[in-house]
Amino acid sequence: MRFMLPNLANITPQLSYQYQQDNCAVLYFEQTQLKQLAQQYGTPLFVYSTQHIADSLSIYNQGLANHKHGIYYSVKVNSNIHILSLLHSLGAKFDVVSKGELQRVMYVGVAAKNCVFAGVGKTQDELLFAIQNDIGCINVESASELYRISELAQSINKIAPISLRINPNIDPKTHPYISTGLQENKFGILTKEAYELYQWAHGQPNLEIKGISCHIGSQLLDLSPLLQAAERVVEFAQSLQEIGIEIEHVDFGGGIGISYQQDESEKIAQLDWQNYFSNLTRIVPKDIAIHIEPGRSIVGNGGVLLTQVQYLKKQGELDFAIVDAAMNDLIRPALYQADHQVVELQQHVNDSVASKKFTVVGPVCETSDFLARDKELKIREGDYLAMLSAGAYSFCMSSNYNSRLRAAEVLISGEKNTLIRKRETFENMIANERIT
Ligand code: LLP
């Protein structure tokens, strides 16, 4: 018996069900069968698609092809060194927010001059490390940071390349925890103050003004606030040019959203990237380079988290599927009420397994430890599930809470797979602890 298989292509084009025998269909990521992968490496397991990452990066490169540009992948989003190395080989540059991230990209062979250093709280040690290694640009977030950079550069006889991150006071219309471009957020510098600071910086022998940056938020499903912010940044650049301060680049940060569920995927399908790129290249004068710092839109839909159902439990009105992944592996549902699509790795076609609405939870001792709610699934104990859209802000936000070992990560390419992070061991977990 054949039946209609769910179509996941509008979330992740590389995911598809294929019939194995007449009564079952299994999920493939590119040409790799995910259930086999789950059995080979164990669960929880993150799996990423090379094809997806390469395709997503090239959308940006093509969109900006007619303008001087730099794509600075935002390392915080997925910082596995293999992923960084892949993106480096595809020509990406990097946006880092800590010394650790800068060290990661340098470790894979990226010169610091191909990185921008962002973040509101850079320490003296981090700034010195960046300046000493000839960082491409420091995106400065406050007057105090600017003065500190100038002093540090002077102390080691270097010239620090800078850009001020302006806060354009624009509502990105996204989750409040990931909105960054409003006056009440801790990020950036309001334009009036930034104007004065640029004038001050212009007179400093150890500072070199490179650009202006901004980033208004993440998971934007409407691109008009990004274009509004771009207009403000360019107007601001022109006001600086009028007083003799030249700008080499404008950096618009990241922010373009991805689909986590079917209804979002309709909004994503309506996102007019072509219109966005053509407006961006129209707004920015030809002699000023466009830098962007995308993250989620490069890797987000290119990853899945595989997990195995341990127990099915009925409690009152609810059917719980208790799985072996938890909030320590994927904190987004608990932290932002994020709704990731959950699908079976194997579709049962015959009716021996009933379809029910499940709340998918992990084993962590907290009620907030849920991965998904209200999901129609046809599952038995021992079956495997995939949480979709788990390439971004997923593994990198994981922890050892409840002394759970961090998951393994695999990168696939066609039918080949590579283990890019071994599953953590008990010894790894306690390596830095001491009994005195
Ligand atoms: N540039 C800056 C300065 C940023 O702060 C961010 C993200 C990016 C670029 C990349 O933005 P994207 O293209 O990924 O939207 N953990 C949250 C998201 C935090 C966003 C932090 N900043 C989540 O899981 O939704």
Side-chain angles (χ1 to χ4, degrees):
M1 183 178 84
R2 299 256 150 166
F3 72 123
M4 275 287 286
L5 292 169
N7 178 10
L8 304 175
N10 52 0
I11 293 189
T12 301
Q14 293 73 24
L15 281 173
S16 64
Y17 283 103
Q18 291 176 28
Y19 279 103
Q20 208 178 27
Q21 307 131 5
D22 253 8
N23 65 347
C24 115
V26 287
L27 188 60
Y28 277 78
F29 204 12
E30 299 194 20
Q31 283 80 53
T32 300
Q33 209 220 92
L34 285 175
K35 186 175 167 192
Q36 274 172 6
L37 218 55
Q39 285 167 335
Q40 181 181 348
Y41 293 107
T43 48
L45 181 71
F46 285 91
V47 187
Y48 310 116
S49 152
T50 306
Q51 184 71 54
H52 190 91
I53 294 171
D55 288 354
S56 311
L57 183 69
S58 84
I59 293 176
Y60 281 101
N61 274 318
Q62 281 168 20
L64 295 173
N66 294 328
H67 204 107
K68 259 194 297 184
H69 72 273
I71 315 287
Y72 290 75
Y73 167 74
S74 193
V75 173
K76 65 172 85 67
V77 177
N78 183 326
S79 47
N80 183 292
I81 54 173
H82 199 107
I83 304 277
L84 299 179
S85 168
L86 168 67
L87 284 161
H88 176 44
S89 72
L90 295 169
K93 297 177 178 181
F94 296 88
D95 151 42
V96 300
V97 291
S98 67
K99 180 176 174 181
E101 286 191 352
L102 182 54
Q103 285 173 309
R104 273 181 185 268
V105 289
M106 287 168 64
Y107 181 80
V108 305
V110 178
K113 78 168 171 15
N114 288 325
C115 299
V116 291
F117 192 5
V120 284
K122 306 173 197 85
T123 64
Q124 178 155 319
D125 170 58
E126 291 183 308
L127 287 168
L128 263 180
F129 182 79
I131 301 167
Q132 251 153 359
N133 283 287
D134 298 320
I135 188 86
C137 189
I138 304 172
N139 292 349
V140 183
E141 300 239 11
S142 63
S144 302
E145 185 191 341
L146 184 65
Y147 304 145
R148 178 182 267 186
I149 293 170
S150 173
E151 278 166 27
L152 290 174
Q154 193 180 9
S155 73
I156 55 169
N157 219 4
K158 285 267 199 183
I159 296 180
I162 57 128
S163 152
L164 300 193
R165 172 171 174 180
I166 63 164
N167 180 324
N169 197 19
I170 287 174
D171 185 357
K173 302 189 195 104
T174 183
H175 191 284
Y177 285 10
I178 52 178
S179 287
T180 51
L182 283 170
Q183 197 162 321
E184 65 261 29
N185 301 137
K186 69 179 172 182
F187 300 98
I189 306 172
L190 297 177
T191 43
K192 188 171 166 298
E193 187 186 358
Y195 186 72
E196 284 156 17
L197 288 175
Y198 269 109
Q199 282 173 287
W200 179 83
H202 193 46
Q204 300 305 308
N206 295 94
L207 295 179
E208 184 187 4
I209 295 171
K210 288 281 188 188
I212 304 173
S213 54
C214 89
H215 168 81
I216 59 169
S218 198
Q219 185 54 14
L220 272 68
L221 296 179
D222 169 8
L223 303 184
S224 49
L226 285 176
L227 289 173
Q228 235 180 306
E231 270 168 3
R232 299 237 173 121
V233 169
V234 170
E235 271 167 32
F236 188 69
Q238 279 154 355
S239 71
L240 292 179
Q241 273 167 339
E242 280 162 21
I243 54 168
I245 300 176
E246 288 305 321
I247 294 296
E248 288 174 28
H249 73 251
V250 282
D251 177 347
F252 298 128
I256 298 186
I258 61 166
S259 39
Y260 283 97
Q261 30 175 326
Q262 301 291 350
D263 64 338
E264 251 166 15
S265 74
E266 279 159 32
K267 285 195 203 154
I268 295 287
Q270 282 158 16
L271 281 189
D272 193 345
W273 290 69
Q274 223 33 59
N275 177 55
Y276 170 69
F277 288 126
S278 62
N279 271 304
L280 213 55
T281 48
R282 176 185 54 77
I283 293 168
V284 181
K286 273 276 172 259
D287 56 332
I288 299 185
I290 298 175
H291 290 181
I292 46 170
E293 304 167 358
R296 191 191 312 259
S297 51
I298 304 279
V299 293
N301 285 138
V304 293
L305 169 60
L306 307 186
T307 182
Q308 189 179 29
V309 179
Q310 301 300 305
Y311 304 105
L312 298 180
K313 174 172 174 178
K314 190 160 179 68
Q315 188 102 301
E317 293 297 294
L318 289 182
D319 278 292
F320 288 102
I322 304 170
V323 299
D324 65 0
M327 67 189 293
N328 74 297
D329 301 296
L330 183 67
I331 201 174
R332 302 194 69 263
L335 195 55
Y336 315 110
Q337 298 77 48
D339 187 6
H340 288 249
Q341 177 105 355
V342 188
V343 297
E344 301 91 339
L345 292 199
Q346 179 175 337
Q347 293 273 343
H348 300 287
V349 180
N350 60 37
D351 291 330
S352 59
V353 185
S355 177
K356 286 188 201 163
K357 282 221 155 128
F358 282 98
T359 302
V360 182
V361 298
V364 163
C365 308
E366 291 213 26
T367 300
S368 62
D369 180 29
F370 65 89
L371 294 175
R373 294 188 200 274
D374 238 6
K375 298 290 176 197
E376 191 74 38
L377 296 166
K378 223 175 165 187
I379 43 174
R380 295 176 304 201
E381 293 181 354
D383 282 354
Y384 292 95
L385 296 172
M387 307 276 314
L388 307 192
S389 314
Y393 304 110
S394 298
F395 180 88
C396 59
M397 292 179 77
S398 68
S399 75
N400 286 124
Y401 188 38
N402 277 209
S403 285
R404 287 170 49 81
L405 303 174
R406 261 176 289 205
E409 295 176 289
V410 166
L411 180 70
I412 56 156
S413 178
E415 52 187 32
K416 286 203 306 239
N417 69 74
T418 313
L419 182 65
I420 60 171
R421 175 192 272 264
K422 288 200 265 184
R423 189 172 301 286
E424 205 170 28
T425 61
F426 173 70
E427 289 70 27
N428 296 152
M429 183 171 64
I430 61 157
N432 291 332
E433 299 179 32
R434 296 286 177 269
I435 302 173
T436 54

